[in-house]
Amino acid sequence: AMHPPMLYTGYIGFSLVFSFAIAGLLTEKIDKNFAKYLKNWLFFSWGFLTLGIGLGSWWAYRELGWGGYWFWDPVENISLMPWLAATTLIHCIKLVEKKEIFKIWTAFLSILSFILCLLGIFLTRSGILTSVHSFAIDATRGFFVIALILIIGGIGLLIFGKKSGKIQSKTVSFSFWSKNGAILANNYFLVVALFIVLLGTIYPIFSQSIFNQFISIGPSYYNKLFGFLIIPFLAFLTISYSLNHSEKTPKDKIVNRTNSLICLICALTTSLVFFYEKSTSFLQITILFFAILCAVLTIFSFLNNAFFKKRGSFLKKFFSLRSISAIPVTLAHLGFSLIIAGIILTSSFGITKEMNIKLGQSVKIENYEITFNDVNYAKGSNFVARRGAFEVNKNGNFYETLYPELRFYPIADKTTNEASIKSGFFGDIYIVLGQKDENDLYAIRIYTKPFIYLMWLGCAMIFAGAMVRILNNSPKKLKKLFDKKII
């Protein structure tokens, strides 16, 4: 129930981001003050959109019974697109505030993020999609929403076109081998990712409407393109920890920094351990390597800036202005790294087993032995259910009893699966009960999902980082609060 309101809160927030951009363009004042007032609403919207996406993937995993969390459904994509635009905008607004550069980027992305939110409304309310996310089939409503997009987006882009030439960024020379250069490179990668999602979402609709050709773009399109795109993105992100902000960083300094070398060894070792356990593609191992490297570098960077360069007690260091200011970016980057690591670990090392078994039979999957002990029937307020009982033993010892259900809703004439999941530190064991045939064989699906919780932990960390960043707008006041209440 929390998934739609969180998304809606994020979408609503982007209307303020859009309004700030229009005001800044009309007054021709996109500067440090503009960035100061915009960034809180940007972090607010981006944080709640992240939380909404995370809750949606968690709901799909828990409730739909197919063992997945993201199907590249068009409306899932629509929530991802403003998130990608906002992530790019966050890094631009940071440089507007500090250096007064990337002003045109900032204005355009602020307008684009809200247009993408309106596009999501159109796709879900127009009936143009057949999806679990579609809410209406009223064509007139779709025409109204598309007219709204054309008016709001058209006027916004018209103002941008008229005023963007009068918004001058400061001329700041910075090298490709600088933190600003890495941010700029990753902004381009995010925009390319946005275009990939937009093309894959919109093109089938145009093909069907204009050319009367039904084209389905499946997950393989997105997985392959994002797989290759994420590697240079993570590479620039990890390199940025060794770079200075504006001036060129000597190459020997980048390569020979001790912390980077230690992190490199840790990430490489961990990746090789997973590679030894189960063979997988070189692409997946490379992504995993960079994700772990980025996570370790993020932690080292925080500790180095907040603790190793200061004297005093642990609490004094932790609640210093430097530490408080570093918490949001640390949480956001670490959360993003965990999401990528969770996706790769689950897709690379997870196992799916589908079979038909009778009562009393057992099946082995990795170090689990699962016995189908019983089946009974239950009645809910608006459904009837067939409920199985599966005893799970791990490494020869009792682990858990799982109770998946096959539910039938008479009023809706609909059958659904209610998966039963046991979560642990190393991942989930996930069982789905299906139909019974004339030979008393029950269809079951068993999934192992190693470290899948990292994805939702990462989303929670990004949301927390965004909220701390809003509070951190006045770090001195926040420090005083911590001093009074804690220290």
Side-chain angles (χ1 to χ4, degrees):
M2 295 300 294
H3 160 58
M6 296 302 101
L7 279 180
Y8 185 64
T9 303
Y11 290 154
I12 290 267
F14 282 113
S15 68
L16 283 163
V17 174
F18 173 86
S19 301
F20 268 103
I22 297 300
L25 287 167
L26 289 174
T27 58
E28 300 176 10
K29 291 182 180 179
I30 295 183
D31 51 19
K32 291 182 179 181
N33 266 341
F34 170 85
K36 177 183 175 183
Y37 290 110
L38 172 63
K39 65 182 180 182
N40 277 358
W41 291 112
L42 175 58
F43 279 103
F44 174 85
S45 308
W46 180 73
F48 275 96
L49 184 58
T50 304
L51 183 61
I53 293 171
L55 287 171
S57 67
W58 183 82
W59 172 81
Y61 175 72
R62 303 282 304 184
E63 297 298 329
L64 296 185
W66 61 291
Y69 47 87
W70 190 270
F71 194 65
W72 294 106
D73 179 280
V75 183
E76 291 175 346
N77 296 349
I78 283 298
S79 66
L80 181 62
M81 284 155 58
W83 187 88
L84 290 168
T87 304
T88 313
L89 179 56
I90 282 170
H91 294 88
C92 290
I93 205 76
K94 178 181 178 182
L95 294 177
V96 171
E97 187 178 20
K98 288 188 174 182
K99 305 286 184 180
E100 293 205 12
I101 57 176
F102 293 0
K103 293 181 180 181
I104 303 301
W105 273 83
T106 299
F108 176 71
L109 289 168
S110 299
I111 295 170
L112 180 64
S113 60
F114 185 54
I115 292 175
L116 292 171
C117 293
L118 294 176
L119 184 61
I121 296 172
F122 167 70
L123 289 177
T124 54
R125 299 286 178 178
S126 64
I128 200 169
L129 295 174
T130 302
S131 166
V132 70
H133 301 94
S134 298
F135 304 120
I137 54 173
D138 186 357
T140 56
R141 186 180 296 158
F143 285 121
F144 172 77
V145 175
I146 199 71
L148 199 66
I149 295 172
L150 290 172
I151 293 169
I152 294 175
I155 293 174
L157 291 174
L158 181 64
I159 293 171
F160 173 78
K162 291 276 288 183
K163 294 287 187 177
S164 59
K166 299 179 181 179
I167 306 296
Q168 298 295 328
S169 296
K170 283 188 177 179
T171 304
V172 177
S173 60
F174 58 86
S175 167
F176 180 77
W177 291 107
S178 68
K179 197 177 288 288
N180 290 350
I183 290 172
L184 180 61
N186 272 352
N187 279 356
Y188 281 114
F189 286 123
L190 286 168
V191 170
V192 171
L194 174 58
F195 176 75
I196 289 169
V197 179
L198 181 62
L199 181 65
T201 305
I202 298 297
Y203 182 73
I205 298 172
F206 276 100
S207 177
Q208 187 175 2
S209 302
I210 298 173
F211 305 113
N212 199 27
Q213 292 180 345
F214 181 78
I215 294 176
S216 178
I217 295 181
S220 60
Y221 160 80
Y222 300 99
N223 293 339
K224 287 179 181 177
L225 291 176
F226 270 79
F228 287 106
L229 198 63
I230 197 68
I231 292 175
F233 181 88
L234 290 172
F236 276 103
L237 183 56
T238 54
I239 289 171
S240 69
Y241 285 105
S242 300
L243 299 175
N244 301 322
H245 240 295
S246 293
E247 63 275 10
K248 184 177 179 180
T249 308
K251 291 183 180 180
D252 59 338
K253 192 177 181 183
I254 298 171
V255 175
N256 294 325
R257 285 194 173 177
T258 308
N259 289 349
S260 298
L261 184 60
I262 294 171
C263 296
L264 183 67
I265 294 170
C266 291
L268 180 59
T269 304
T270 310
S271 299
L272 288 174
V273 167
F274 282 111
F275 181 76
Y276 179 79
E277 289 292 330
K278 195 179 295 292
S279 60
T280 186
S281 71
F282 178 74
L283 178 65
Q284 290 172 320
I285 289 296
T286 306
I287 296 171
L288 179 62
F289 163 74
F290 277 112
I292 296 171
L293 178 60
C294 182
V296 178
L297 273 170
T298 301
I299 296 170
F300 264 76
S301 177
F302 175 75
L303 294 176
N304 187 48
N305 290 327
F307 291 90
F308 301 153
K309 293 183 179 180
K310 293 181 70 68
R311 294 181 179 180
S313 66
F314 175 83
L315 286 176
K316 187 174 181 181
K317 288 179 180 179
F318 190 83
F319 293 108
S320 67
L321 292 180
R322 180 190 288 268
S323 299
I324 293 170
S325 299
I327 289 173
V329 68
T330 301
L331 286 173
H333 284 184
L334 184 58
F336 179 76
S337 302
L338 291 180
I339 291 171
I340 300 300
I343 291 170
I344 295 300
L345 291 171
T346 301
S347 60
S348 301
F349 308 114
I351 293 177
T352 302
K353 208 165 191 177
E354 298 184 13
M355 67 207 75
N356 296 318
I357 64 173
K358 290 186 176 181
L359 277 169
Q361 289 185 335
S362 298
V363 60
K364 289 187 176 181
I365 178 170
E366 288 193 327
N367 55 342
Y368 297 99
E369 184 176 2
I370 300 164
T371 305
F372 187 13
N373 282 341
D374 192 19
V375 64
N376 54 60
Y377 295 88
K379 184 179 179 181
S381 58
N382 62 340
F383 66 88
V384 291
R386 178 187 290 146
R387 192 169 188 242
F390 293 82
E391 181 182 308
V392 181
N393 292 292
K394 186 176 182 180
N395 297 321
N397 301 313
F398 175 76
Y399 183 59
E400 186 68 46
T401 300
L402 298 179
Y403 300 95
E405 296 180 359
L406 181 69
R407 292 182 176 180
F408 176 69
Y409 295 83
I411 295 176
D413 192 23
K414 188 175 182 180
T415 301
T416 64
N417 294 108
E418 190 72 16
S420 186
I421 305 168
K422 170 63 178 177
S423 299
F425 176 78
F426 292 102
D428 293 358
I429 182 77
Y430 182 116
I431 301 179
V432 180
L433 178 66
Q435 299 286 357
K436 181 179 77 168
D437 66 13
E438 63 275 6
N439 297 318
D440 291 331
L441 289 167
Y442 292 83
I444 66 167
R445 292 196 308 274
I446 304 171
Y447 303 90
T448 60
K449 298 288 182 179
F451 297 98
I452 193 167
Y453 64 87
L454 291 179
M455 289 184 289
W456 300 300
L457 176 61
C459 288
M461 292 179 72
I462 291 174
F463 174 74
M467 296 304 104
V468 172
R469 185 64 184 82
I470 293 170
L471 293 173
N472 201 20
N473 190 38
S474 181
K476 291 183 179 178
K477 291 181 180 178
L478 191 63
K479 183 179 183 299
K480 287 180 182 178
L481 177 68
F482 279 129
D483 289 342
K484 289 178 182 178
K485 300 293 183 182
I486 299 175
I487 299 178

